[in-house]
Amino acid sequence: MKHSKGVKRAAAWLPLAAMVFTATGCNKEARHAPDVWAVVNGKEIKREEVDKYYRTRVNPEGQEPSPEESLSQKLNVLDELINNEILLEKAKKLNLEASDGEVEDKFTELKSPTQKTNFSGV
């Protein structure tokens, strides 16, 4: 299968992108497995996790995406996972964590068919 220059270029940038997002906290170079695409605040984001989220976005009955589209979508997933980790870390630092009970209560509230949506935020 012939790959375009775009796919080859993007594939070449992926390891570099993973190194850029690696946060080690010291000057020592960290060694990670080849399947680690990024490390954010010490948490590894592996190819398997990116692939899992990618598969939820691809329509199984639809046309197979081109290699360029597939790689672009996977990089978008990776970007989202990196941003999520950064946001979670910031929320922890600001003590914005919800308890399991609070999450369950909100989930139940959102599932309720009689629940009225409040768009005003009050």
Side-chain angles (χ1 to χ4, degrees):
M1 174 185 285
K2 186 177 179 182
H3 296 288
S4 73
K5 287 182 188 178
V7 171
K8 290 179 183 175
R9 189 174 303 132
W13 279 99
L14 191 56
L16 179 60
M19 288 182 354
V20 168
F21 290 112
T22 300
T24 61
C26 61
N27 291 332
K28 291 193 292 184
E29 185 177 327
R31 301 275 184 218
H32 298 280
D35 66 332
V36 174
W37 281 14
V39 178
V40 182
N41 297 323
K43 183 193 181 287
E44 294 181 340
I45 299 174
K46 296 184 177 187
R47 177 185 192 138
E48 164 186 315
E49 185 177 3
V50 172
D51 286 342
K52 178 179 108 179
Y53 286 102
Y54 167 76
R55 284 190 301 274
T56 66
R57 297 176 183 197
V58 176
N59 183 357
E61 289 114 29
Q63 181 179 350
E64 183 74 24
S66 72
E68 293 89 358
E69 292 169 328
S70 177
L71 182 58
S72 177
Q73 290 173 358
K74 286 181 181 183
L75 289 173
N76 286 337
V77 167
L78 178 61
D79 186 53
E80 288 177 30
L81 292 172
I82 289 168
N83 286 328
N84 287 346
E85 283 302 318
I86 292 169
L87 290 172
L88 287 171
E89 185 69 22
K90 184 68 173 176
K92 283 180 187 176
K93 286 182 180 178
L94 294 173
N95 238 2
L96 298 175
E97 295 181 84
S99 70
D100 290 342
E102 290 170 318
V103 171
E104 184 63 36
D105 290 346
K106 189 64 174 177
F107 181 72
T108 302
E109 176 186 323
L110 293 173
K111 277 189 353 183
S112 172
T114 59
Q115 196 226 302
K116 295 182 181 178
T117 305
N118 183 354
F119 292 106
S120 68
V122 284

